[in-house]
Amino acid sequence: MSAIESTSKSALEGARIFFLDLGAGRILSARPDGSDLKVIIGGGQRHPDGLAADPERRHLYWTNMGNPVANDGSIFRSDLDGGNITVIVPPGSTFTPKQLQIEAKSQKLYWCDREGMRVMRCNLDGTEIETLVQTGENDDDRHDQTRWCVGIAVDADGGKIYWTQKGGDNAGQGRIFRAGIEILSGEGPATRSDIELLFEHLPEPIDLDIDPSSRMLYWTDRGDPPRGNTVNRASMDIAANSHTESQIVITHLMEGIGLALDVNGGRMFVTDLAGSVYSANLDGTNPKMLLAAEGNLTGIAYVA
């Protein structure tokens, strides 16, 4: 494990991974082999959970969950070196934002809002905040964890969004859904007729990512073994309610959370709440622990 160095508005050369420390409110970065570990933002973030990178503009975006009962979640942006921290979605505009993705073609941020029971999006500057899916409306609904939306992935070419609803802790209530990127005419976020259930009875599915070249959907699951503490994958093009089995490609995580694919490099990066960062090939071979005991790690992003 490398020694941590601080960085302040300094260049970060070459490919990097970036990841969040939930407990300390930090953002860290390292080379893809785990070396050159640096603190990008040294603290002060309010339970950061989802992370996405915009390599073209050299920006990071992350969600701050805030207080899960206070409706004070937010989304922030900074430069890759941690400079120029900016509020993109102010506190109260999203309840408890979780995992986050950037869709490059439309220049949109997509995220799941757990206690808000929503899938949401906005422009990269925070304008035009929209709700795409609404799974509940009131406080009674909010206490139903099967309504909690957590992970998000966007298939721009296929015109679809994918998201997880994790259910209770190790309750076997986790599900993965799919719907169109755009709401059908005459329908609303709570009345969509195009929502498809792809997987159910999962331990606790969390983060999602896609490999558009192979049409594969990947996700982490933080629940208990044998199906939890894993990274899984399945075809993005499966039929709804087909009871297709997913493939477990990584096991023995300690509450797996963050997931980022380097499709061009044929590899993935994963974090878990025990503080480890891992890499592996996309088929799960050649697994490596890159870093350990770095905090309570959540979102991760890769920048080539």
Side-chain angles (χ1 to χ4, degrees), residues 187-227:
E187 298 184 352
T191 60
R192 297 188 64 152
S193 62
D194 65 336
I195 293 176
E196 299 176 299
L197 175 62
L198 302 181
F199 293 97
E200 60 183 339
H201 307 306
L202 303 176
E204 287 184 74
I206 304 295
D207 202 3
L208 290 168
D209 206 350
I210 64 171
D211 176 358
S213 61
S214 65
R215 302 293 299 165
M216 295 295 288
L217 176 71
Y218 289 75
W219 68 91
T220 54
D221 195 303
R222 65 174 288 187
D224 286 342
R227 299 188 69 188

Side-chain angles (χ1 to χ4, degrees), residues 71 93-98 111-120 147-150:
N71 193 17
S93 298
T94 181
F95 204 115
T96 317
K98 296 289 287 180
W111 70 95
C112 278
D113 184 339
R114 189 178 66 190
E115 273 80 5
M117 303 168 289
R118 295 176 287 193
V119 177
M120 305 182 73
R147 299 177 183 270
W148 287 2
C149 304
V150 178

Side-chain angles (χ1 to χ4, degrees), residues 98-116:
K98 296 289 287 180
Q99 300 301 314
L100 180 72
Q101 295 282 355
I102 295 174
E103 200 293 287
K105 290 185 178 180
S106 64
Q107 296 295 287
K108 294 276 189 179
L109 286 173
Y110 286 76
W111 70 95
C112 278
D113 184 339
R114 189 178 66 190
E115 273 80 5

Side-chain angles (χ1 to χ4, degrees), residues 90-298:
S93 298
T94 181
F95 204 115
T96 317
K98 296 289 287 180
Q99 300 301 314
L100 180 72
Q101 295 282 355
I102 295 174
E103 200 293 287
K105 290 185 178 180
S106 64
Q107 296 295 287
K108 294 276 189 179
L109 286 173
Y110 286 76
W111 70 95
C112 278
D113 184 339
R114 189 178 66 190
E115 273 80 5
M117 303 168 289
R118 295 176 287 193
V119 177
M120 305 182 73
R121 73 179 175 191
C122 70
N123 295 330
L124 292 181
D125 63 359
T127 58
E128 296 186 28
I129 297 174
E130 302 174 79
T131 296
L132 301 178
V133 177
Q134 183 80 53
T135 65
E137 298 290 343
N138 52 42
D139 284 339
D140 286 340
D141 291 343
R142 208 177 325 278
H143 290 103
D144 178 0
Q145 295 183 43
T146 65
R147 299 177 183 270
W148 287 2
C149 304
V150 178
I152 181 74
V154 185
D155 174 20
D157 293 336
K160 300 290 184 181
I161 53 174
Y162 297 76
W163 70 96
T164 62
Q165 291 175 214
K166 83 174 191 68
D169 294 348
N170 291 301
Q173 299 171 328
R175 293 173 291 172
I176 299 177
F177 294 88
R178 177 175 65 199
I181 287 179
E182 305 300 337
I183 300 175
L184 297 173
S185 177
E187 298 184 352
T191 60
R192 297 188 64 152
S193 62
D194 65 336
I195 293 176
E196 299 176 299
L197 175 62
L198 302 181
F199 293 97
E200 60 183 339
H201 307 306
L202 303 176
E204 287 184 74
I206 304 295
D207 202 3
L208 290 168
D209 206 350
I210 64 171
D211 176 358
S213 61
S214 65
R215 302 293 299 165
M216 295 295 288
L217 176 71
Y218 289 75
W219 68 91
T220 54
D221 195 303
R222 65 174 288 187
D224 286 342
R227 299 188 69 188
N229 282 323
T230 54
V231 176
N232 308 260
R233 69 177 182 178
S235 170
M236 295 164 58
D237 300 316
I238 65 170
N241 298 302
S242 64
H243 304 288
T244 300
E245 287 294 325
S246 58
Q247 178 189 7
I248 296 174
V249 294
I250 295 179
T251 60
H252 295 91
L253 303 176
M254 296 297 290
E255 297 194 66
I257 302 291
L259 174 66
L261 302 187
D262 169 18
V263 173
N264 291 334
R267 58 186 173 175
M268 70 179 85
F269 299 94
V270 184
T271 59
D272 65 23
L273 278 180
S276 299
V277 181
Y278 309 85
S279 69
N281 296 335
L282 291 179
D283 63 0
T285 58
N286 195 30
K288 299 176 182 178
M289 179 183 286
L290 305 178
L291 295 161
E294 296 298 346
N296 302 121
L297 303 186
T298 51

Side-chain angles (χ1 to χ4, degrees), residues 31-79:
R31 294 193 178 107
D33 63 0
S35 64
D36 193 35
L37 182 62
K38 297 180 182 295
V39 176
I40 303 301
I41 294 175
Q45 302 309 301
R46 300 187 64 237
H47 300 106
D49 194 71
L51 183 66
D54 179 356
E56 181 179 345
R57 294 170 181 80
R58 309 294 289 174
H59 286 155
L60 293 173
Y61 290 82
W62 66 93
T63 61
N64 284 327
M65 292 187 289
N67 183 336
V69 299
N71 193 17
D72 63 350
S74 57
I75 299 176
F76 279 62
R77 184 189 73 205
S78 77
D79 298 338

Side-chain angles (χ1 to χ4, degrees), residues 4-13 16-21 25-31 36-43 45 51 58-60 62 77-85:
I4 300 179
E5 298 179 3
S6 295
T7 182
S8 177
K9 298 185 179 181
S10 61
L12 297 172
E13 299 294 338
R16 306 284 300 187
I17 52 173
F18 297 83
F19 51 96
L20 303 175
D21 177 0
R26 302 184 302 167
I27 301 179
L28 301 97
S29 178
R31 294 193 178 107
D36 193 35
L37 182 62
K38 297 180 182 295
V39 176
I40 303 301
I41 294 175
Q45 302 309 301
L51 183 66
R58 309 294 289 174
H59 286 155
L60 293 173
W62 66 93
R77 184 189 73 205
S78 77
D79 298 338
L80 291 184
D81 63 9
N84 297 314
I85 297 175

